[in-house]
Amino acid sequence: MSLTDREQGAASEPSTPPPAGGRRPGPTVADVVRAVTAGALPVRVTGYDGSAVGPADSGFTLSIRTERGLSYLLTAPGDLGMARAYVSGDLALDGVHPGDPYEAFRVLQDQLRLRLPSMSEGLALVRGLGWERLKPPPPPPQEAAPRWKRVMNGLRHSRTRDSSAISHHYDVSNAFYEKVLGPSMTYTCAVFRSPDDTLEQAQAAKYDLVAGKLALKPGMRLLDVGCGWGGMVRHAAREYGVQALGVTLSREQAQWAQAAIEREGLGELAEVRHMDYRDAPREHFDAVSSIGLTEHIGVRNYPAYFGALRDRLRPGGRLLNHCITRADNRAPHRSGAFIDRYVFPDGELAGPGRLIGEIHDVGLEVHHEENLRQHYALTLAGWCRNLVENWDFCVSEVGEGTARVWGLYMAGSRLAFERNEIQLHQVLATRNAPGGVSGYPLRPDWTP
């Protein structure tokens, strides 16, 4: 069967016919789409050459606007090529807002079937399109360097390379984050009592849950590693009278957080420092919270990481680790190409069993864990709503390409959490005193 006559199903329209009385000079965009998909398309696909394929009434249209966009798709098949074309504006997705393309993603994941073209089909495409089409165009400026090039910033998860990776994601624009995250400036999973809770209510509930698990009381000392914009630090100081220290590798986060602490009159109780967690004070804290940092430190570094947190706890002190995980312990640790290049360079996730095992193996005792993956899906939906509502401001602040990255990333992550492809686990542990004395009660002293 040729590239131009394969059946697409009754719901699809054929590509634009060749000029009357002559042959088409080469494969069209629609021909390329046919070659790499199987069965009927769930969306309309149009090309810069006027060709089209797929149902005209699908509600969603993918428009490949330029030759560069097609080259992105051909030279990096999969999510990386799609991301490059979309972020650069060479690929448009009509029918959804770029701040929340969730509905289109759901249709594509459910119904789009990809295939590898045969050798003869592939050669015919390349000859017709021209070999120059297989020369990768320069990637958009939002893309981080590939892993092999990052060695210029040090070995994976060295201090300098971790600092660079954190800066890539978090030092975008505090004003942008204020619009997307909302007043709490909290970039971690919230906890919803009801789907009708506001994002702010759910973020406050998350901080109360963490505080309850850690049994925070006035006068206690809390270390919050990877503290972001200081949400947990400020909440613990304001609501529980705790002496709270937060550390973050993002300079912009630290500056914003310290200004917020002063603005709220919490300077005598709370502090945020621009600091690697490995350099945090070694005094024994009553409690340590790690909310969203574990994803950045590398799975092979878990023993050193949890050991460092253990060493900062007094005997009887509690650790609360809150992080994204894989859904099982067999999945690969490294993230896909899009997440690695555009969102979390060098990010790694382990399964919940690996996480709990590593915490146990450094001498901490795990007392409780829970999976909050459904809550993260609701959190991401709220962030997408904020991005849509503040789209013009966000674009003016960081550029349309970066704003598109965020819509793409958050909508895709929401779908992954909903479908149990990734999870969010909170693990509560203690550093026991000699003789196995943990100080943990017979039944939890916090409200689930």
Side-chain angles (χ1 to χ4, degrees):
M1 184 175 291
S2 74
L3 293 174
T4 58
D5 64 4
R6 185 163 60 84
E7 290 292 335
Q8 288 294 300
S12 301
E13 295 182 6
S15 59
T16 304
R23 290 177 58 84
R24 183 184 289 115
T28 66
V29 170
D31 294 332
V32 176
V33 173
R34 284 195 184 100
V36 298
T37 58
L41 289 171
V43 299
R44 184 76 164 169
V45 182
T46 63
Y48 57 85
D49 57 2
S51 65
V53 66
D57 60 352
S58 72
F60 304 113
T61 300
L62 282 169
S63 300
I64 303 172
R65 293 174 163 177
T66 65
E67 293 184 359
R68 182 178 67 174
L70 183 61
S71 290
Y72 277 138
L73 299 176
L74 291 174
T75 56
D79 63 349
L80 183 59
M82 292 277 286
R84 286 172 172 170
Y86 183 73
V87 170
S88 66
D90 296 309
L91 175 67
L93 178 55
D94 300 319
V96 288
H97 192 285
D100 188 9
Y102 167 82
E103 291 296 338
F105 283 5
R106 187 168 55 80
V107 169
L108 289 168
Q109 183 163 327
D110 285 344
Q111 301 177 37
L112 181 64
R113 289 185 293 156
L114 301 177
R115 73 179 185 102
L116 286 174
S118 67
M119 182 70 73
S120 60
E121 287 177 315
L123 288 173
L125 277 177
V126 171
R127 291 194 188 102
L129 292 169
W131 290 98
E132 68 277 5
R133 191 70 66 236
L134 296 184
K135 180 181 179 182
Q142 292 80 10
E143 183 172 317
R147 290 187 178 102
W148 66 271
K149 278 190 175 181
R150 291 178 210 156
V151 71
M152 300 292 290
N153 290 324
L155 297 176
R156 189 156 49 97
H157 299 301
S158 64
R159 291 169 183 261
T160 55
R161 184 157 156 181
D162 277 355
S163 179
S164 176
I166 292 295
S167 180
H168 176 88
H169 188 67
Y170 294 104
D171 292 342
V172 175
S173 159
N174 284 334
F176 170 81
Y177 280 111
E178 286 173 356
K179 296 297 185 183
V180 174
L181 303 180
S184 74
M185 280 293 273
T186 301
Y187 185 35
T188 49
C189 175
V191 173
F192 291 78
R193 300 296 180 186
S194 160
D196 297 326
D197 287 353
T198 68
L199 191 55
E200 292 307 302
Q201 289 172 329
Q203 291 293 9
K206 183 268 298 297
Y207 287 136
D208 280 332
L209 180 62
V210 172
K213 288 179 176 180
L214 293 174
L216 296 185
K217 295 178 178 61
M220 291 177 66
R221 302 182 68 240
L222 168 71
L223 173 64
D224 186 40
V225 295
C227 68
W229 290 271
M232 182 65 203
V233 168
R234 289 181 288 122
H235 189 89
R238 182 178 58 249
E239 304 298 331
Y240 295 87
V242 169
Q243 290 278 347
L245 170 65
V247 298
T248 173
L249 266 180
S250 167
R251 188 179 300 277
E252 289 194 18
Q253 284 183 336
Q255 292 172 346
W256 191 98
Q258 196 57 40
I261 287 169
E262 299 303 326
R263 187 169 60 248
E264 296 174 19
L266 299 171
E268 292 188 2
L269 290 175
E271 181 187 2
V272 168
R273 299 178 189 173
H274 176 232
M275 178 182 290
D276 192 294
Y277 76 90
R278 288 163 282 202
D279 297 324
R282 292 184 175 274
E283 310 131 50
H284 285 173
F285 291 85
D286 299 292
V288 173
S289 54
S290 173
I291 307 174
L293 176 59
T294 314
E295 299 90 332
H296 297 286
I297 59 99
V299 174
R300 70 179 182 182
N301 294 325
Y302 279 5
Y305 170 66
F306 289 118
L309 302 188
R310 175 205 61 212
D311 291 345
R312 286 159 174 80
L313 274 174
R314 65 165 176 80
R318 298 186 188 184
L319 164 70
L320 189 287
N321 195 85
H322 167 122
C323 72
I324 302 169
T325 73
R326 299 296 183 197
D328 62 61
N329 298 312
R330 298 179 299 276
H333 297 147
R334 291 190 181 184
S335 56
F338 167 67
I339 294 294
D340 182 65
R341 298 286 189 91
Y342 284 89
V343 185
F344 293 116
D346 292 335
E348 295 181 28
L349 305 177
R354 174 71 179 270
L355 183 75
I356 292 171
E358 296 282 7
I359 293 174
H360 267 298
D361 287 349
V362 300
L364 296 166
E365 181 181 9
V366 171
H367 294 273
H368 184 272
E369 78 83 30
E370 64 177 311
N371 181 8
L372 299 172
R373 72 170 179 86
Q374 294 166 295
H375 296 260
Y376 217 154
L378 292 170
T379 305
L380 287 155
W383 291 340
C384 280
R385 284 194 298 272
N386 287 344
L387 181 55
V388 170
E389 291 171 5
N390 297 285
W391 181 255
D392 290 342
F393 175 87
C394 290
V395 169
S396 69
E397 185 68 21
V398 301
E400 186 166 359
T402 298
R404 281 172 170 259
V405 167
W406 278 85
L408 200 63
Y409 151 62
M410 293 191 300
S413 296
R414 173 187 171 187
L415 195 62
F417 278 107
E418 286 180 348
R419 300 191 170 184
N420 196 28
E421 295 169 9
I422 47 178
Q423 300 175 348
L424 188 290
H425 284 262
Q426 281 193 354
V427 180
L428 177 63
T430 57
R431 178 182 181 179
N432 294 350
V437 178
S438 69
Y440 196 80
L442 293 176
R443 298 301 302 153
D445 50 1
W446 45 273
T447 304

